Amino acid sequence: MIQEVLMFGAILIPMIGALIIGVVPIFKDDKKRNICIFISLVLTLFIVILNCLYGDVSVTVLRLSEKLPILFKKDLMSKWFTMLCSFMWLMVGVFSFEYIKHEENRNRFYIFYLLTLGAILGLGFAGNFVTLYLCFEFMTFLSMPLVLHSGTKEAIQAAKKYLYYSIFGASLGLLNLFFISYYSPILEFLPGGVLNNISLTQNAHTTLLVVSFLSIIGFGAKAGMFPLHAWLPTAHPVAPAPASAVLSGVITKAGVLCIIRTVYYLFGVDFIRGTWVQYAWIILALITVFMGSMLAYNETIFKKRLAYSSVSQVSYILFGLALLNKIAFTGAMLHMYFHSLIKDVLFLTAGAIIYLTHKTNVKDFKAMGKRMPIVMWCFTIASLSLIGIPPLSGFISKWYLCVGSLSLNIQPYAILGPIVLIISALLTAGYLFTITINAFFPGNDFDYNSLEKIKEPKLMTIPMIILTILIVLFGLYPHGLLNIINSIVGTIL
């Protein structure tokens, strides 16, 4: 009984927090509201940690039909994902207390911020595809107001684009429900897939391959994979920095989780390995990695540059998943965590710079390291990790991805993967590290007398520092995460 309470408690607590600040008048006061939000986020993280300490459990809430139960299930994958979500939501939430305090409609922002957390935790604990799909759609609708928060014409258009792409992608993913339910009596997520012991005709096999590919494309929209990636660079520049941080650092990983559940827990690795679906998936992921890096390199608007970077970097994860081997899967799972840490630091630094200086173009960041040293040092360490410089965490995940690609033994994909990843790393250095160089070494012709140091608010810098420290520590000591990943790998590969 206690396990069921803990699992649903993690989902419901942020939603209850949203309800409280929405209906109780005293929480219109900023200080009281922030305390309520902080308690909700800390309590949610604490309960998620307790969930990770207990064993697996599954609960059927209700049945839409005999074959369609609303099922929530706690397993290694759900623990992995919900821990990431709850921790990152807390860090970004603390940062937002300073960033949002001068914005209008603050209560509305935090209501949807907490509701989105509840929905994404529900997605993490989804035990079958119908529950996953419903939580995915709830997450999309509840996170859309975070994008349109400012209410400008650009924000409304970006929110519509985010909504259209997400709904279209989820509709492609919904094909799983119809076809898998037709061919299999089991719809619950099973390690290794539900099609292993089912005899399929050639026509059925061909049909299911098409369905699996469309599902990967559909859920890849939320992860920013080509060709449904365009919402990311549109949404990020107009959304508040805290919203951009969770969109890039966490919500894109919801698309990754849906693909993992589809490929590794529904269809099964053996069903897809060696087929045209695997090869097309690899090609699309590599196209996205290269394309995102090139677009980021040519972009001068800071948050838009980071958005294109997310397009590229999340597809590192999808590339590792597409290889369908243990080493690459390990790299993908590591990068799922490391990219979230790194990209949240980068978007929080972007938010701090925009908030304190109102500058949005990277050309205006000269000597920013002298004016905002804590912010720019956090940015620099996160950038070095994203490039893949050892011993930072980004190097570890990319190492596993490259080794996993070389062990594929299928040409030209085995060689092409590391080549594209290395080119992308060089481009990443070009569009991130140049900002650091200009920030700390603006040149002899720069007028240092005009510099004025900016006070960096603690509510902004403390989450950045914590995340930056974790980027370093996970690079030096990745063994704890590797042990968890090995446990997951042992059940699905």
Side-chain angles (χ1 to χ4, degrees):
M1 180 64 180
I2 188 170
Q3 292 194 56
E4 289 88 338
V5 171
L6 288 174
M7 182 170 63
F8 288 112
I11 300 170
L12 293 176
I13 283 175
M15 294 187 168
I16 293 171
L19 179 64
I20 290 172
I21 65 173
V23 301
V24 180
I26 64 171
F27 291 110
K28 290 183 179 180
D29 176 75
D30 285 350
K31 185 176 181 180
K32 293 176 181 177
R33 182 197 61 237
N34 291 349
I35 291 172
C36 179
I37 293 166
F38 181 75
I39 292 172
S40 299
L41 293 174
V42 170
L43 192 55
T44 301
L45 176 60
F46 177 70
I47 293 179
V48 167
I49 292 172
L50 290 179
N51 273 296
C52 294
L53 297 177
Y54 282 88
D56 299 345
V57 66
S58 61
V59 181
T60 299
V61 178
L62 59 89
R63 290 185 176 274
L64 301 178
S65 71
E66 186 177 343
K67 290 186 68 175
L68 296 178
I70 303 299
L71 175 70
F72 290 93
K73 183 177 180 180
K74 184 171 60 173
D75 60 7
L76 285 171
M77 182 58 69
S78 65
K79 294 174 185 177
W80 174 266
F81 182 74
T82 54
M83 177 61 76
L84 173 68
C85 296
S86 55
F87 177 73
M88 299 310 299
W89 231 264
L90 172 61
M91 292 294 101
V92 175
V94 172
F95 173 92
S96 72
F97 295 152
E98 175 69 29
Y99 186 94
I100 295 293
K101 73 179 184 180
H102 297 303
E103 298 273 335
E104 296 181 359
N105 302 311
R106 293 182 293 277
N107 268 39
R108 185 187 69 189
F109 177 87
Y110 284 115
I111 287 170
F112 285 103
Y113 186 79
L114 291 175
L115 289 175
T116 303
L117 175 58
I120 202 169
L121 291 177
L123 180 75
F125 287 121
N128 62 4
F129 190 81
V130 64
T131 311
L132 181 93
Y133 174 77
L134 290 174
C135 291
F136 185 88
E137 292 286 40
F138 277 126
M139 179 194 68
T140 295
F141 283 107
L142 292 172
S143 59
M144 184 186 70
L146 301 180
V147 178
L148 59 76
H149 174 73
S150 65
T152 63
K153 182 179 179 181
E154 293 78 10
I156 293 171
Q157 291 301 319
K160 287 180 180 179
K161 195 170 188 177
Y162 168 65
L163 183 65
Y164 297 156
Y165 273 68
S166 297
I167 291 177
F168 177 71
S171 299
L172 293 180
L174 185 60
L175 294 173
N176 283 337
L177 181 63
F178 302 129
F179 285 89
I180 293 291
S181 63
Y182 181 80
Y183 290 106
S184 170
I186 303 172
L187 290 177
E188 183 178 343
F189 294 133
L190 295 177
V194 302
L195 299 178
N196 282 341
N197 299 318
I198 297 176
S199 178
L200 297 171
T201 64
Q202 184 60 43
N203 286 339
H205 190 270
T206 301
T207 299
L208 287 174
L209 282 176
V210 173
V211 170
S212 68
F213 181 67
L214 291 176
S215 297
I216 291 168
I217 293 290
F219 289 126
K222 189 71 81 178
M225 186 177 75
F226 176 83
L228 299 178
H229 64 284
W231 68 269
L232 269 162
T234 304
H236 281 304
V238 298
S244 295
V246 294
L247 278 169
S248 178
V250 186
I251 291 179
T252 55
K253 308 307 183 299
V256 172
L257 176 70
C258 291
I259 290 175
I260 292 173
R261 291 298 196 186
T262 296
V263 173
Y264 290 84
Y265 289 82
L266 205 59
F267 288 96
V269 171
D270 292 335
F271 183 81
I272 293 176
R273 183 185 283 129
T275 66
W276 64 268
V277 174
Q278 182 186 14
Y279 304 142
W281 184 10
I282 291 172
I283 291 170
L284 285 177
L286 290 177
I287 288 173
T288 312
V289 168
F290 179 75
M291 177 194 67
S293 295
M294 283 295 298
L295 291 172
Y297 185 81
N298 291 318
E299 182 58 57
T300 60
I301 302 300
F302 193 20
K303 285 181 69 179
K304 199 166 185 178
R305 177 177 288 192
L306 295 180
Y308 281 125
S309 174
S310 293
V311 169
S312 174
Q313 294 291 326
V314 177
S315 277
Y316 276 64
I317 304 171
L318 300 181
F319 169 68
L321 297 176
L323 296 176
L324 304 178
N325 66 50
K326 293 181 179 180
I327 300 174
F329 183 86
T330 300
M333 294 294 282
L334 286 173
H335 205 62
M336 190 174 179
Y337 260 52
F338 298 160
H339 175 263
S340 185
L341 292 169
I342 294 165
K343 197 48 65 79
D344 273 20
V345 170
L346 295 179
F347 270 110
L348 295 187
T349 58
I353 292 170
I354 293 169
Y355 177 80
L356 295 170
T357 70
H358 306 291
K359 297 183 184 298
T360 60
N361 197 303
V362 295
K363 295 177 181 178
D364 299 326
F365 290 0
K366 280 193 172 185
M368 198 64 72
K370 309 288 185 180
R371 303 181 69 193
M372 303 172 64
I374 296 175
V375 169
M376 289 312 301
W377 271 112
C378 290
F379 172 86
T380 299
I381 294 171
S383 297
L384 290 172
S385 185
L386 197 66
I387 294 165
I389 303 299
L392 301 174
S393 55
F395 169 77
I396 304 296
S397 56
K398 292 182 180 184
W399 172 269
Y400 274 92
L401 290 172
C402 288
V403 173
S405 180
L406 292 172
S407 65
L408 188 62
N409 293 324
I410 300 176
Q411 301 300 338
Y413 305 101
I415 301 296
L416 186 61
I419 291 173
V420 173
L421 297 191
I422 290 171
I423 293 172
S424 175
L426 294 173
L427 290 169
T428 304
Y431 65 72
L432 287 181
F433 205 61
T434 50
I435 296 174
T436 291
I437 293 172
N438 287 328
F440 287 102
F441 307 102
N444 294 328
D445 58 340
F446 186 81
D447 182 13
Y448 287 91
N449 295 323
S450 64
L451 278 181
E452 192 175 318
K453 192 169 181 180
I454 299 171
K455 183 179 180 181
E456 300 163 286
K458 290 183 179 179
L459 285 177
M460 286 185 160
T461 55
I462 288 174
M464 286 183 216
I465 292 170
I466 292 173
L467 295 174
T468 304
I469 290 171
L470 288 176
I471 289 170
V472 177
L473 288 179
F474 280 136
L476 295 172
Y477 307 103
H479 310 293
L481 293 179
L482 287 171
N483 290 336
I484 298 170
I485 295 170
N486 289 335
S487 299
I488 296 173
V489 169
T491 66
I492 62 176
L493 281 169

